[in-house]
Amino acid sequence: MKKIALVLLVTALYTTGASAQPEDIVQYPTAIRALGLRARLYPEERDPAVQQLAKSIAVLSASDKARLGELQQDFQEALLLVCDPEIYETLSTGTIEAVDTAIESVVTMDDIKRDTEWEPLIYVYGFFNRDTNAGEIVRIQDQWVGIPVEEREPYYPTYPHAIDAVTKPLSMGPLFDPQETARALDVATLLLRAMLLQPPLPGRGFHVPSHAALVIGPLYERWENDVRLGVHVKQHLGTRDELEALMAGQLVGAQPDLANLDDDAFGFFAYTGRYFANGLARLDARVAVPALRQSLEVYRAHGAAETTIAYTERALAVLGDADARAQLENAIAAGKEDALLTVVWICRNAQGEGKSYGCALLGEQMSAPADEALDAWFRRELEKAEGQQ
């Protein structure tokens, strides 16, 4: 049915042949960004704007796939603007289905498992792929488990991308077929936990726990207080305290024998650590602060990538570390744009006191009340984007 709906949609949009495109198709970076920002800022425009983005992807997929490839990062960033939970929850089911259908016109699951040509769209796909089901998750899990560990190197990061695409939808809400949600949660949480606990491997095996670290926290939070379905995440992940401790335990700073850490293991932890830091910050997991501090020392001593260090410092700032906050505030005072982007990330991803801290900082920079700071930031970004069109 979805293929028929897509064909009807694209056919209706064309007027004069295969190369014709309707006027409301956006196909320039600034226009795509502006549309995403308007969807973010203005609830009354949100569904129409996101559906226009979906329509643009579908039409370009059918008419000019090379151009779509050039623009896929722009479409990803525009769609991610509406994936923060408080915004996403306001989208209609029809809008979510439209994005899901549009991206499925570009890539199949076989494409996702095979290569990374469409990686930006693949990443955002999981937020909208709520027509997945338990059977599909089981099939991908069985295929993955069937590949011996020593033979998996050619399948990184593509197979983790496929697992992400079918498990991340459960972090956004019930599946389109509600009867599938409970069984899918059982399968997904067990699979994600196993991925999370994968021990260090040489090569690119770090992709496995990295993807799990980003999905498992939001999935847990979405269902932990659900009277009927909460049990399906807690039976494999435990209480919130247990999940936070489990994730913090995967950081390099929590390892019992740091003195004998070999180069392969350090490389593994240095890559996965940035994603565990993000996941722990989003969970407001203050229990992780000691392990994050110790990890930061290890990263600096071993010359880890700046991204790993920056993500860890950001997580510490979210979780109340005084030194990390002072460093961030000094960077803002020095006018460093990256520091301001860090604060925007905190406002979008933190919760509780960490979110309040970030919004207060951003409000000072935007001359706006803390609870209006993020919208003030996005309005400024919209003015820039519309001024460039």
Side-chain angles (χ1 to χ4, degrees):
M1 289 298 292
K2 294 188 82 173
K3 288 183 179 179
I4 294 172
L6 179 64
V7 170
L8 291 173
L9 167 66
V10 174
T11 301
L13 290 171
Y14 282 96
T15 57
T16 59
S19 62
Q21 293 173 357
E23 291 182 359
D24 61 346
I25 294 306
V26 285
Q27 53 181 319
Y28 298 99
T30 53
I32 294 168
R33 177 160 176 75
L35 195 58
L37 286 162
R38 296 196 70 86
R40 169 83 194 204
L41 283 164
Y42 305 120
E44 68 278 9
E45 297 183 27
R46 188 164 295 148
D47 280 312
V50 176
Q51 288 179 26
Q52 189 176 354
L53 290 168
K55 187 187 300 182
S56 301
I57 291 169
V59 170
L60 287 171
S61 177
S63 66
D64 193 347
K65 212 157 186 177
R67 179 61 176 159
L68 179 60
E70 294 170 358
L71 295 170
Q72 62 172 321
Q73 185 74 43
D74 302 291
F75 280 113
Q76 181 213 64
E77 292 171 2
L79 289 169
L80 286 177
L81 289 170
V82 298
C83 287
D84 295 359
E86 68 277 13
I87 304 296
Y88 183 92
E89 288 173 0
T90 70
L91 295 175
S92 72
T93 299
T95 295
I96 295 168
E97 288 179 328
V99 177
D100 178 47
T101 301
I103 296 177
E104 288 177 356
S105 77
V106 183
V107 290
T108 66
M109 194 58 66
D110 285 340
D111 295 328
I112 294 171
K113 288 185 289 188
R114 183 176 56 249
D115 59 48
T116 59
E117 179 183 0
W118 295 98
E119 187 168 8
L121 285 180
I122 289 168
Y123 176 77
V124 80
Y125 176 47
F127 291 99
F128 295 90
N129 182 33
R130 284 167 57 186
D131 65 342
T132 191
N133 55 65
E136 185 174 39
I137 298 172
V138 168
R139 282 192 298 276
I140 291 173
Q141 173 186 258
D142 289 348
Q143 290 167 358
W144 178 242
V145 171
I147 303 171
V149 172
E150 63 276 10
E151 297 177 14
R152 289 181 179 176
E153 185 65 23
Y155 302 99
Y156 299 128
T158 54
Y159 252 92
H161 285 173
I163 295 169
D164 181 282
V166 295
T167 59
K168 190 158 60 183
L170 288 160
S171 71
M172 307 308 293
L175 299 181
F176 289 151
D177 180 354
Q179 295 182 354
E180 283 290 322
T181 304
R183 196 161 74 92
L185 281 171
D186 283 330
V187 178
T189 50
L190 190 59
L191 173 57
L192 289 167
R193 188 179 191 278
M195 293 170 66
L196 198 78
L197 296 176
Q198 178 183 283
L201 292 174
R204 298 180 296 161
F206 49 70
H207 283 292
V208 174
S210 297
H211 280 276
L214 293 181
V215 176
I216 206 165
L219 186 150
Y220 188 90
E221 286 198 315
R222 178 61 182 77
W223 299 105
E224 65 174 318
N225 295 320
D226 188 282
V227 174
R228 187 173 67 88
L229 296 174
V231 65
H232 294 279
V233 295
K234 291 177 181 176
Q235 66 179 333
H236 298 305
L237 302 177
T239 64
R240 172 182 277 265
D241 288 347
E242 289 170 335
L243 175 62
E244 291 176 0
L246 184 71
M247 292 180 65
Q250 308 314 304
L251 292 165
V252 68
Q255 303 313 303
D257 193 11
L258 290 176
N260 292 317
L261 201 66
D262 62 32
D263 289 344
D264 283 338
F266 172 75
F268 180 93
F269 284 120
Y271 190 92
T272 61
R274 64 185 72 171
Y275 298 102
F276 277 104
N278 284 354
L280 289 161
R282 290 178 170 125
L283 281 168
D284 197 35
R286 309 236 159 179
V287 68
V289 167
L292 285 164
R293 286 176 178 155
Q294 180 63 43
S295 297
L296 193 56
E297 291 184 18
V298 176
Y299 299 148
R300 288 171 173 161
H302 284 76
E306 183 55 39
T307 301
T308 296
I309 292 172
Y311 284 17
T312 305
E313 290 173 338
R314 183 173 67 189
L316 283 166
V318 169
L319 299 175
D321 181 83
D323 291 341
R325 289 188 172 183
Q327 181 177 322
L328 176 59
E329 291 162 23
N330 290 338
I332 293 170
K336 295 183 178 178
E337 183 68 15
D338 284 352
L340 197 56
L341 293 174
T342 294
V343 176
V344 172
W345 188 95
I346 291 173
C347 293
R348 291 183 66 184
N349 291 279
Q351 55 183 300
E353 187 275 337
K355 184 180 184 72
S356 298
Y357 166 75
C359 290
L361 277 183
L362 186 61
E364 292 173 6
Q365 300 304 305
M366 301 303 300
S367 300
D371 61 351
E372 299 175 13
L374 195 54
D375 277 357
W377 164 268
F378 284 125
R379 280 195 297 271
R380 191 180 79 172
E381 293 299 297
L382 179 59
E383 289 174 5
K384 289 180 186 177
E386 292 185 335
Q388 293 170 351
Q389 292 185 53

